[in-house]
Amino acid sequence: MDKVSSDCPYPGCFFCVMKEGNPSKRRASLLKFFRELPSQDDDGQVLPISGLWNTAMAHPNDPEFIELGIFECMAALIWKGLKNRRWLSHDQNIYIPYYAAHIIGSYTMNMEEFAEMAVHAGVIPALVELLRGRLTWVEQRVAVRALGHLATYAATFPAVASHGEILELSMQLAMSSLEIVYTHFYQYVDRRLSYHCDLLTRGMGGVEMESRKAEEWASQLQCWSLQLINCFAFKPEFLPTICKPEFLVKLPGMWGGLVNENSPAGIGLLRTICHHKLGRGPVASCPGIIDALCNIARSSDDWQYMAIDCLLWLLQDPSTS
């Protein structure tokens, strides 16, 4: 790449490219940057990735990077982190898979067109590996977020659903997210991974702030897992997998949606399940569910109407009334 700023010690770096005033040169340089970054081993790679992370959150509907190969680049970086642990442990590369998955999620949360491009770029297999826990719970959190966005759209849901383990893994995360974060973060303060602490507080704050943010992230992990499962629950063919008694009985107590007003939480997922005749039978026969729904229906919180809907559908169905 051509050097843009004489003050920069790294000719052609991402930040120099972004300052390029000539649109055609900037586009060509960005295309080259995204194509070559995964194969490079230079120090400081986390800097442009964190810059892209900020840009993706601030401008998730901007197509510029999408058209130039950012999805292919992020998927390749995730795979590199999974396969090359020496590279992952070098410099600050440990942050890169997290940022890469977060970038994918940000650019797919609003635009179905971008989600289709992400699927064609091959992001799903890389995200599934993170969802499996090949790294840590922090990467699982952003992987389930990104997959949840891809599952939202009619055009990309089949690609997500074709990976059968995604649903099972999401159910496991929804049930165990709080325990996972407790075991791997709260239980032994002196064993906390430093990059987890940095991500949680953005480098500002001590143990108390880290703990508060970890609690919030644990709720988000559950929340986003429930959102992903909810996408599957709209399809009757997935209800036999979802409607396992050991999972259903825990749904009324899953309040991950408190950190996201758009989340269905456990009761919202139950509402989706009860909307289907195939789902009402397992719900009605699951011990404790009806009592839990009645308790929520008598409450004054925002999810009261969801419990009432569940109870009405169960009463109106002759097979469950």
Side-chain angles (χ1 to χ4, degrees):
M1 298 181 190
D2 296 330
K3 188 172 181 178
V4 176
S5 171
S6 59
D7 297 328
C8 180
Y10 304 106
C13 80
F14 172 75
F15 299 103
C16 291
V17 169
M18 292 302 292
K19 295 175 184 176
E20 172 60 64
N22 184 310
S24 61
K25 283 186 177 181
R26 170 182 156 118
R27 185 178 179 85
S29 295
L30 282 171
L31 187 66
K32 188 171 187 285
F33 173 81
F34 287 133
R35 187 171 60 245
E36 295 180 352
L37 182 63
S39 62
Q40 295 175 350
D41 292 320
D42 300 335
D43 289 352
Q45 285 187 313
V46 73
L47 295 176
I49 301 300
S50 63
L52 289 167
W53 172 75
N54 278 306
T55 301
M57 287 199 299
H59 307 286
N61 301 336
D62 189 334
E64 181 180 21
F65 295 161
I66 311 299
E67 296 167 350
L68 298 175
I70 193 171
F71 288 137
E72 290 85 350
C73 180
M74 296 302 109
L77 286 169
I78 292 172
W79 281 117
K80 186 173 183 177
L82 291 168
K83 295 178 178 180
N84 188 342
R85 295 306 176 103
R86 182 191 59 78
W87 172 82
L88 187 67
S89 62
H90 179 68
D91 194 39
Q92 293 184 303
N93 294 337
I94 191 71
Y95 293 85
I96 290 178
Y98 170 87
Y99 282 133
H102 203 294
I103 288 165
I104 293 169
S106 293
Y107 276 125
T108 55
M109 66 181 175
N110 296 329
M111 307 287 286
E112 185 169 13
E113 178 187 356
F114 292 0
E116 289 183 86
M117 294 175 75
V119 169
H120 292 150
V123 303
I124 292 179
L127 293 171
V128 171
E129 291 302 306
L130 296 182
L131 190 68
R132 285 176 178 159
R134 288 279 303 277
L135 293 181
T136 73
W137 67 272
V138 165
E139 289 81 17
Q140 283 180 304
R141 169 181 167 270
V142 287
V144 78
R145 169 181 178 261
L147 288 166
H149 293 154
L150 295 173
T152 300
Y153 305 108
T156 51
F157 175 80
V160 175
S162 68
H163 295 262
E165 64 191 304
I166 289 177
L167 178 55
E168 292 276 4
L169 289 168
S170 300
M171 291 169 63
Q172 292 170 17
L173 281 176
M175 289 189 289
S176 60
S177 58
L178 303 182
E179 181 183 351
I180 289 171
V181 177
Y182 175 79
T183 302
H184 295 281
F185 192 83
Y186 279 102
Q187 194 169 16
Y188 303 106
V189 174
D190 58 330
R191 297 184 192 176
R192 292 179 179 178
L193 297 176
S194 60
Y195 87 99
H196 284 185
C197 298
D198 289 342
L199 287 171
L200 285 164
T201 64
R202 307 305 304 157
M204 297 179 291
V207 173
E208 185 178 347
M209 181 180 289
E210 290 167 6
S211 297
R212 286 201 305 269
K213 289 296 293 184
E215 183 178 350
E216 180 183 325
W217 279 25
S219 294
Q220 287 175 339
L221 179 57
Q222 185 177 74
C223 158
W224 292 334
S225 297
L226 290 168
Q227 285 181 303
L228 179 50
I229 300 163
N230 199 54
C231 293
F232 282 88
F234 282 105
K235 313 290 184 181
E237 62 266 32
F238 297 105
L239 289 177
T241 300
I242 296 171
C243 292
K244 295 177 179 176
E246 62 269 25
F247 180 67
L248 290 178
V249 74
K250 293 184 178 181
L251 283 178
M254 292 186 191
W255 297 87
L258 284 174
V259 298
N260 184 344
E261 62 182 14
N262 296 319
S263 168
I267 186 62
L269 178 54
L270 270 174
R271 184 180 185 275
T272 301
I273 293 169
C274 288
H275 189 69
H276 297 279
K277 185 174 183 64
L278 283 174
R280 289 193 287 272
V283 169
S285 61
C286 187
I289 286 279
I290 303 302
D291 287 343
L293 287 172
C294 289
N295 288 333
I296 296 172
R298 286 194 291 265
S299 69
S300 59
D301 60 54
D302 294 338
W303 291 326
Q304 181 183 36
Y305 77 93
M306 295 187 186
I308 293 172
D309 282 345
C310 291
L311 291 168
L312 284 174
W313 288 328
L314 290 166
L315 285 169
Q316 291 167 355
D317 187 333
S319 65
T320 56
S321 61

